[in-house]
Amino acid sequence: MSNFKVTASRNFANGSVYALRTEDDYPIETTDTFLPMITRDAEARGTNELVLANFGSRKDRWMIGVSVMSGCPVRCPFCATGALKKWRNLTAEEILAQVDFIVEKNQDRFKPTDAEEFRILFTRMGEPVMNKDEVLKAIKLIKNKYPHATVALSTAGPKVGTKEFFEEVKKIVEEYQDDFIQFQFSVHSTDDKQRDFLQPVKKYQLAELKEFADEWKKVSERKVTLNFTLCDDNEFDAEKIEKYFLADSIFIKLSPLNENNISTKNHLSGVITAKNLA
Ligand code: SF4
């Protein structure tokens, strides 16, 4: 049972976003979205863009985006969390409660077990590696309560903690004997100096991520994702990627920038111009 206070919400064509407050009044954001099954085949299609306004329903691909922190100390210059002065790690129970909150919101119409894919995205507020103990516990709590769930983790790859976090996530895949976790590094540029501006935390260099991608192949059929939210003239050098990584160990994702007050203040704009339908 979730005990969040809803302070705002917005509905769009394929879901909703909620601004919530924890019991001690910290703001977090949780999303409830869905997509048709065709978008799961992004690799073969070369895109997950919707050609027609066919959004499917929560019985197709149902995705719940959870925060792992309120605010975030990393302060990436394109990220809306920069507007929050304070931050704190969420507990595993608070992370699970966000999933419960969305499930409860939909309980009259949809059940997670009815969804062909029920996916929990650890991609809203916060850097998972900096809250690794609670995130690892939350993955297990979610999987125990919703055995049907798959999980997507996204990290900037901080030098402190990523290796340990990665090893523990591998152990979870092995323990559950279920290939249910997608591991993503958000990198945003193939130039490490640009990355230092975009992700102001001491982190693994692009070439160093190869070792993680190769190791992940030993436990999972899912390739490690490298996510690029491309802004302005930030470098995307395919030859560099080809030089550093084996093609069958990574999946490259290009994402639009969700422009916000912080990205505007830092004069950043996305290169993908397609917009979500309202
Ligand atoms: S690490 Fe993630 S949540 Fe934190 S500031 Fe950067 S993009 Fe935002």
Side-chain angles (χ1 to χ4, degrees):
M1 188 69 183
S2 53
N3 275 324
F4 297 117
K5 185 171 151 201
V6 181
T7 53
S9 66
R10 189 163 62 85
N11 295 323
F12 38 90
N14 66 324
S16 307
V17 57
Y18 295 91
L20 307 175
R21 291 264 167 182
T22 60
E23 281 182 43
D24 55 351
D25 208 31
Y26 275 80
I28 59 173
E29 185 183 83
T30 304
T31 58
D32 171 17
T33 56
F34 54 88
L35 284 169
M37 290 312 294
I38 190 175
T39 56
R40 191 153 73 173
D41 200 17
E43 196 167 348
R45 293 172 68 227
T47 179
N48 64 358
E49 192 178 0
L50 290 174
V51 182
L52 302 170
N54 168 16
F55 298 102
S57 80
R58 290 175 185 79
K59 288 189 176 165
D60 299 315
R61 307 185 72 198
W62 184 359
M63 286 149 293
I64 298 177
V66 296
S67 296
V68 299
M69 295 175 172
S70 169
C72 181
V74 179
R75 304 205 173 274
C76 301
F78 55 84
C79 178
T81 60
L84 299 174
K85 293 203 168 47
K86 292 197 296 182
W87 69 276
R88 84 153 166 85
N89 282 336
L90 299 184
T91 64
E93 290 73 19
E94 287 171 324
I95 299 170
L96 170 67
Q98 293 171 69
V99 179
D100 291 342
F101 168 79
I102 299 294
V103 170
E104 286 159 18
K105 279 268 166 212
N106 291 285
Q107 63 189 350
D108 295 338
R109 293 175 302 150
F110 299 101
K111 289 193 193 67
T113 46
D114 293 338
E116 200 153 328
E117 183 178 8
F118 182 62
R119 195 164 171 78
I120 313 304
L121 314 171
F122 285 63
T123 51
R124 303 315 298 175
M125 286 187 198
E127 166 50 62
V129 167
M130 292 180 166
N131 186 19
K132 62 182 173 13
D133 293 346
E134 294 302 312
V135 168
L136 292 165
K137 193 171 153 198
I139 295 170
K140 293 186 178 188
L141 290 177
I142 291 168
K143 191 65 178 168
N144 293 345
K145 186 160 184 181
Y146 302 102
H148 185 47
T150 59
V151 161
L153 301 169
S154 180
T155 175
K159 270 279 179 185
V160 176
T162 295
K163 188 79 188 147
E164 295 79 359
F165 179 69
F166 181 78
E167 290 304 324
E168 290 302 318
V169 174
K170 271 172 43 190
K171 278 188 204 157
I172 294 176
V173 172
E174 287 169 336
E175 181 187 331
Y176 282 77
Q177 297 191 346
D178 185 347
D179 193 9
F180 72 103
I181 300 179
Q182 182 86 49
F183 203 98
Q184 170 174 296
F185 288 101
S186 283
V187 288
H188 309 317
S189 168
T190 50
D191 180 285
D192 285 310
K193 285 213 165 54
Q194 287 177 353
R195 289 186 64 217
D196 286 344
F197 168 70
L198 293 165
Q199 300 170 294
V201 63
K202 200 157 188 276
K203 63 199 159 301
Y204 284 93
Q205 306 264 293
L206 183 65
E208 292 175 309
L209 299 180
K210 176 187 188 301
E211 194 186 317
F212 292 96
D214 292 348
E215 278 300 304
W216 188 249
K217 270 180 70 174
K218 294 179 186 165
V219 297
S220 175
E221 295 275 301
R222 298 170 187 266
K223 297 172 186 174
V224 160
T225 301
L226 299 184
N227 178 45
F228 292 83
T229 298
L230 294 177
C231 316
D232 304 299
D233 53 359
N234 287 337
E235 180 187 273
F236 179 80
D237 182 344
E239 285 178 10
K240 228 182 221 182
I241 295 173
E242 201 175 14
K243 190 170 102 194
Y244 294 156
F245 297 94
L246 296 171
D248 66 350
S249 67
I250 50 160
F251 175 73
I252 307 284
K253 188 165 94 187
L254 306 182
S255 303
L257 174 71
N258 290 321
E259 288 176 22
N260 56 70
N261 292 345
I262 300 297
S263 62
T264 304
K265 194 174 127 195
N266 289 306
H267 312 289
L268 293 170
S269 51
V271 300
I272 297 177
T273 51
K275 297 268 181 235
N276 286 334
L277 295 179

